[in-house]
Amino acid sequence: MFVKTALAAAVLAVCMAGHANAKPKFEEVHLEQVYSTEQDAALPNDEPSQVFVDWEDGKWTEVRDGDLTFATSYRVKMKRGYIVLADFGRLGRGDSMVWAIAVKLWGGDLPKSVAGVHPVQTDTEFLNSAQKDGIVAACNDSANEGNGFTASYDIVLGMRVSAQSKQHALAFGGSEAEATTSSLMRLKVVCEPPEETVEAAPKPVSVDLQIEQSGDTCPKRTVATAYLNYAEPTMAKFRLSVGNGHPKFRSVETREVSFAGKTFHRAEAEFDYKLDPGPKTFVLRARGMTEAHEETVEIDCPPFNVVSAWLTYEVAKTDACPKEVIETAIFNTTRPGWVNHEIKHQGGLVVSEGKLTAKRDGDKYAAKAVRT
């Protein structure tokens, strides 16, 4: 009886070891471009990512150095194994990918599946020379006053996912399997207006920017109202940006207003944001202006606090045991910050603990831990 039991246990141990050491296998790897709403300041607001092109000697000549953000939606699911890291890259020579940006898309333990919306943040040096030439050509081919001196250009963004068979088998960054995918990302190309157009544009005689915050929670709703006064009627074209975020554009026909015995022709527009705490600089630029108008305000938010915590379990729908169980802990907070957490059995035994980062998640802030 003892021999049979020991033999069965040995066979079971060998089978389990073989399964645990099997090479990771991917079920799904997906990437696509998305556009966010104004509620998510971390991603481009209802616009593709933008690049700017300079004008010189009667033509558009080169891509201006600057930040570049791709808003990506991703899904990765393993049939077997754990996800270690995601790399993002661009096309190099011979249609091969150059992996330039490494990012961990999750916090806590290594997961078996991840999904969400992520800003891939880089700069224009991420673009290769052929892509920069194509962007400049797009300006020279299609930009004109009728479309606001803009164009579009698509590039290929790739994602490579690394995985390993065990959650803690290898050091961070090590992998036993990789899978790749790619997607077209559309850039909005903002072409600097030609010199003659800039000179012909009327210059505002005065500019003002009024900024109002509302509500007791964050992200804080903030409305910026731009006022541009001109000496003559015109179609005002201007844009507003917050910090290093992508600008929002407006074209507004002026209306006649009188104040203190003087008559102006005013263009007025509101820009609605939901902003994270801290100082924010609003930058207003308009055609005809030689210098930008700036206003800096402090976005007032409540002190950091964890307002709720949720713990859920997803049990694999299989007939065999042991079953895979995915534990997800979500902590909602009042603002970005660190969350120290413990998960205990009912008897008080601590089974998981760690330090998480609460980040912007739509209209709230949350920290998430996933354990399998």
Side-chain angles (χ1 to χ4, degrees), residues 108-139:
D109 293 338
L110 301 182
K112 296 188 75 68
S113 64
V114 291
V117 175
H118 182 75
V120 178
Q121 297 172 322
T122 180
D123 55 42
T124 49
E125 289 302 308
F126 179 78
L127 303 170
N128 63 31
S129 57
Q131 290 167 335
K132 289 182 178 180
D133 290 344
I135 290 169
V136 172
C139 279

Side-chain angles (χ1 to χ4, degrees), residues 177-356:
E178 292 179 347
T180 62
T181 188
S182 61
S183 178
L184 282 178
M185 300 282 158
R186 172 150 295 183
L187 302 176
K188 181 174 182 179
V189 184
V190 181
C191 313
E192 181 184 8
E195 294 173 1
E196 60 269 24
T197 305
V198 173
E199 294 172 354
K203 181 179 180 179
V205 295
S206 64
V207 174
D208 190 22
L209 195 57
Q210 299 292 326
I211 301 168
E212 294 185 1
Q213 304 177 42
S214 60
D216 298 324
T217 61
C218 279
K220 180 66 67 73
R221 188 189 177 201
T222 307
V223 177
T225 306
Y227 302 93
L228 297 91
N229 294 321
Y230 296 82
E232 301 293 337
T234 187
M235 175 64 76
K237 295 185 178 182
F238 50 99
R239 62 183 186 266
L240 184 68
S241 58
V242 181
N244 293 323
H246 296 272
K248 297 182 179 183
F249 292 80
R250 296 288 190 274
S251 295
V252 179
E253 190 170 352
T254 58
R255 58 182 178 87
E256 188 175 288
V257 296
S258 296
F259 179 74
K262 295 182 179 180
T263 299
F264 300 98
H265 298 272
R266 173 172 292 176
E268 177 181 336
E270 286 188 352
F271 299 82
D272 204 332
Y273 299 91
K274 287 194 174 181
L275 300 177
D276 296 332
K280 300 289 186 259
T281 299
F282 294 75
V283 181
L284 178 66
R285 293 182 173 88
R287 291 181 60 194
M289 289 176 60
T290 55
E291 294 184 0
H293 178 83
E294 297 186 4
E295 297 281 350
T296 299
V297 299
E298 183 77 21
I299 302 300
D300 185 26
C301 291
F304 181 83
N305 189 31
V306 178
V307 295
S308 65
W310 298 87
L311 189 61
T312 61
Y313 292 89
E314 180 182 347
V315 182
K317 296 179 180 179
T318 61
D319 295 331
C321 281
K323 292 188 178 183
E324 179 181 85
V325 179
I326 299 176
E327 173 190 80
T328 304
I330 298 177
F331 304 89
N332 295 310
T333 65
T334 54
R335 61 191 296 162
W338 292 101
V339 177
N340 292 305
H341 77 287
E342 289 183 346
I343 299 176
K344 300 180 180 180
H345 281 162
Q346 193 170 15
L349 176 66
V350 177
V351 295
S352 178
E353 60 183 339
K355 188 176 184 180
L356 305 171

